[in-house]
């Protein structure tokens, strides 16, 4: 496994989070509101000419520090942090779409995102078409003048499918449609903006924070160019903001068309905790992705039904080797064959913590059909790859041999 890019991130994160003068740890600015001093300054802040905090729903100094580090991490022009990963998905999507628009969604999505698209947004007149990652022809055929977003995740959770991200970007660019990638596995695995994705989305709750200490999300935006898909007639209703704000317009669009009115704002304390997580992210990702590979290979060898693209029988194994050289995150699944067997495993394991989270320092496990996916009908479960015996595992920092031993004993 090539780890050279991680060195760059190690330096970037610790240097960005710590201060060289005064308090080394970033300060937490807990104030909800900010005093302007004079009416002239107040006017300037509201005009946007004076760069001072307006009100914490619209931006907070501690969160701004995290935003700048996250934007640097992805090579974006800026970022907006949110109260949760779902807050980030909502911010990114709702700042672009209006009633009558359509979304193309690719892959087996995170449950909350699937419900947002299939239930909530459809109540507001936004229709989503869902496709398997490899249905490229159908995806292209579904594009029409109402299509505003092509949305995908860098790795299917929990179906472990890997999209051909470049092929999907090429289709989107041919028709001038905005691409959004939920890259919760972080740019240490996949670098969305470098690949040509327009908008990168993160649940920072997961591996970025890394220890269940803070709920959070983030959307990273690229700069608007002189020739840009967002300047086409498809995105007519964004043009006023783009004309006024130029390069940084996508940030203004997110704040004015979603954050201000829906209020999914991050709080300063969570942003601070998230920065502490970022400092050690490269070390944890390196450790965990190596452990994932050794655990899945050993469990597979011992005859367990394991789903992970590092295994040669996985349909996207070649894509994994080519496009995911730094691994694809913390997850894999075990199919125990039945709910009873799955429960037996979960009642026996001493290593795994049973919880709906992923990307923690600890190894986590959850039976899918009886928890997160319990409200979905059979067809949807099928599409999302949820079988009765399916357990999702998120690998942590423990000794890989301890995990293997515990899992083999629990699967007997
Ligand atoms: C967890 C998760 C989300 C939602 O994040 P929250 O912080 O729980 O709101 C979105 N996308 C992916 C891929 C996730 O794993």
């Amino acid at each position: 496994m090539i780890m050279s890019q991680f060195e760059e991130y190690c330096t970037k994160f610790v240097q960005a989070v710590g201060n060289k003068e005064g308090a080394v740890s970033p300060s937490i600015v807990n104030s909800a509101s900010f005093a302007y001093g004079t009416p002239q300054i107040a006017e300037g802040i509201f005009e946007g000419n004076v760069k001072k905090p307006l009100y914490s729903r619209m931006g907070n100094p501690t969160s701004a520090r995290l935003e700048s580090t996250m934007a640097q991490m992805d090579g974006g022009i800026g970022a907006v942090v949110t109260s949760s990963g779902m807050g980030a998905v909502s911010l990114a999507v709702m700042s672009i779409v209006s009633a009558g628009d359509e979304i193309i969604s690719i892959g087996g999505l995170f449950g909350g995102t699937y419900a947002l698209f299939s239930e909530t947004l459809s109540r507001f007149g936004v229709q989503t078409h869902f496709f398997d990652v490899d249905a490229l022809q159908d995806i292209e055929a579904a594009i029409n003048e109402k299509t505003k977003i092509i949305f995908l995740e860098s790795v299917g959770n929990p179906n472990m499918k890997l999209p051909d991200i470049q092929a999907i970007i090429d289709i989107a660019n041919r028709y001038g449609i905005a691409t959004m990638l939920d890259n919760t596995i972080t740019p240490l695995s996949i670098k969305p903006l470098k690949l040509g994705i327009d908008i990168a989305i993160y649940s920072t709750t997961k591996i970025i924070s890394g220890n269940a200490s803070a709920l959070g999300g983030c959307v990273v935006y690229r700069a608007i160019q002189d020739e840009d898909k967002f300047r086409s007639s498809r995105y007519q209703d964004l043009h006023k903001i783009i004309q006024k704000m130029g390069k940084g317009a996508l940030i203004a669009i997110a704040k004015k068309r979603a954050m201000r009115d829906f209020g999914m704002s991050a709080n300063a304390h969570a942003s601070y905790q998230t920065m502490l997580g970022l400092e050690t992210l490269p070390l944890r990702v390196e450790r965990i992705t190596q452990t994932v590979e050794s655990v899945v290979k050993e469990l597979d060898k011992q005859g367990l039904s394991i789903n992970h693209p590092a295994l040669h029988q996985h349909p996207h194994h070649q894509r994994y080797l080519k496009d995911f050289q730094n691994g694809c995150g913390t997850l894999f699944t075990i199919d125990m064959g039945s709910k009873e067997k799955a429960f037996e495993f979960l009642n026996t394991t001493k290593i795994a913590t049973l919880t709906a989270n992923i990307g923690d320092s600890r190894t986590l496990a959850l039976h899918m059909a009886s928890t997160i996916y319990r409200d979905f009908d059979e067809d949807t479960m099928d599409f999302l790859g949820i079988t009765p015996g399916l357990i999702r595992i998120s690998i942590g920092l423990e000794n890989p041999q301890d995990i293997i031993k515990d899992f083999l004993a629990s699967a007997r």
Side-chain angles (χ1 to χ4, degrees):
M1 208 175 259
I2 305 156
M3 288 295 166
S4 55
Q5 294 137 333
F6 285 18
E7 295 302 329
E8 167 206 337
Y9 284 110
C10 286
T11 305
K12 203 177 262 181
F13 288 147
V14 291
Q15 293 290 321
V17 171
N19 295 315
K20 286 283 193 317
E21 239 184 280
V24 172
S25 190
S27 56
I28 305 175
V29 181
N30 257 330
S31 195
S33 66
F34 298 90
Y36 311 130
T38 70
Q40 288 82 359
I41 292 177
E43 185 179 35
I45 290 171
F46 276 76
E47 266 173 8
N49 302 329
V50 175
K51 294 278 169 250
K52 284 191 171 172
L54 186 152
Y55 182 69
S56 267
R57 176 159 31 80
M58 296 301 284
N60 167 285
T62 308
S63 297
R65 179 109 179 219
L66 172 60
E67 288 168 341
S68 129
T69 310
M70 293 286 294
Q72 265 187 52
M73 164 181 98
D74 252 332
I77 192 171
V80 181
V81 291
T82 54
S83 53
S84 69
M86 279 317 301
V89 175
S90 305
L91 176 91
V93 170
M94 294 196 303
S95 60
I96 305 283
V97 294
S98 303
D101 288 342
E102 295 184 7
I103 297 170
I104 288 176
S105 170
I106 301 171
L109 292 185
F110 173 74
T113 309
Y114 185 81
L116 172 72
F117 289 171
S118 62
E119 294 171 23
T120 306
L121 284 179
S122 62
R123 284 197 284 115
F124 293 89
V126 176
Q127 199 197 345
T128 302
H129 305 280
F130 296 93
F131 297 99
D132 182 78
V133 285
D134 287 324
L136 295 184
Q137 283 182 345
D138 298 341
I139 289 164
E140 186 160 358
I143 294 173
N144 61 47
E145 74 282 358
K146 295 185 227 157
T147 312
K148 290 286 176 75
I149 295 168
I150 293 184
F151 188 100
L152 68 157
E153 289 178 3
S154 31
V155 52
N157 164 7
N159 71 18
M160 301 309 297
K161 288 187 179 176
L162 304 177
D164 184 339
I165 299 172
Q166 201 60 63
I168 293 165
I169 291 172
D170 291 346
I171 293 173
N173 287 346
R174 221 175 304 138
Y175 294 87
I177 297 166
T179 47
M180 291 185 186
L181 179 71
D182 180 336
N183 192 42
T184 292
I185 63 169
T186 83
L188 279 66
S189 292
I190 288 291
K191 301 180 176 16
L193 301 199
K194 296 222 167 81
L195 286 174
I197 289 281
D198 297 304
I199 296 168
I201 299 171
Y202 298 91
S203 166
T204 60
T205 315
K206 311 296 169 53
I207 187 104
I208 292 179
S209 286
N211 51 22
S213 64
L215 196 64
C218 183
V219 186
V220 183
Y221 291 98
R222 67 163 173 81
I224 293 280
Q225 310 296 325
D226 293 339
E227 301 269 314
D228 200 296
K229 58 174 76 160
F230 288 106
R231 294 188 193 272
S232 78
S233 57
R234 189 183 293 278
Y235 298 101
Q236 190 77 48
D237 54 340
L238 306 181
H239 289 178
K240 234 169 100 183
I241 301 180
I242 293 173
Q243 262 152 28
K244 179 152 184 263
M245 305 302 292
K247 278 189 184 335
L250 289 174
I251 310 278
I253 286 165
K255 292 210 169 178
K256 287 192 177 169
R257 287 172 50 107
M259 183 68 92
R260 185 189 64 198
D261 307 340
F262 291 110
M264 61 285 271
S265 326
N267 74 74
H269 201 270
S271 297
Y272 171 76
Q273 293 282 58
T274 305
M275 281 189 270
L276 298 190
L278 265 181
E279 282 193 344
T280 58
L281 179 68
L283 301 179
R284 290 181 287 110
V285 169
E286 179 172 7
R287 161 93 182 174
I288 291 174
T289 48
Q290 281 171 353
T291 304
V292 167
E293 282 210 12
S294 57
V295 170
V296 298
K297 283 179 180 161
E298 185 58 27
L299 296 182
D300 174 64
K301 209 168 89 190
Q302 299 293 331
L304 267 68
S305 175
I306 304 294
N307 185 12
H308 190 277
L311 300 173
H312 66 88
Q313 69 269 25
H314 190 284
H316 298 143
H317 181 57
Q318 289 311 318
R319 199 169 284 163
Y320 178 77
L321 295 179
K322 184 172 144 279
D323 298 343
F324 292 76
Q325 291 183 356
N326 293 321
C328 65
T330 65
L331 296 184
F332 69 91
T333 60
I334 310 177
D335 194 340
M336 292 300 296
S338 68
K339 180 180 174 184
E340 290 67 35
K341 286 263 183 220
F343 273 35
E344 225 174 280
F345 178 98
L346 294 170
N347 277 316
T348 312
T349 174
K350 292 192 171 60
I351 286 262
T353 302
L354 313 192
T355 174
N357 195 15
I358 59 171
D360 200 278
S361 303
R362 283 149 286 273
T363 290
L364 314 176
L366 193 66
H367 180 244
M368 294 284 95
S370 62
T371 60
I372 297 177
Y373 295 95
R374 60 174 304 117
D375 291 337
F376 292 92
D377 58 41
E378 221 158 288
D379 281 353
T380 310
M381 296 258 241
D382 224 35
F383 174 71
L384 298 175
I386 313 298
T387 51
L390 197 73
I391 297 172
R392 183 182 70 191
I393 304 289
S394 176
I395 287 293
L397 300 172
E398 300 92 346
N399 177 337
Q401 291 312 317
D402 289 344
I403 299 172
I404 291 166
K405 229 166 72 192
D406 177 87
F407 281 14
L408 287 176
S410 307
R412 260 210 300 267

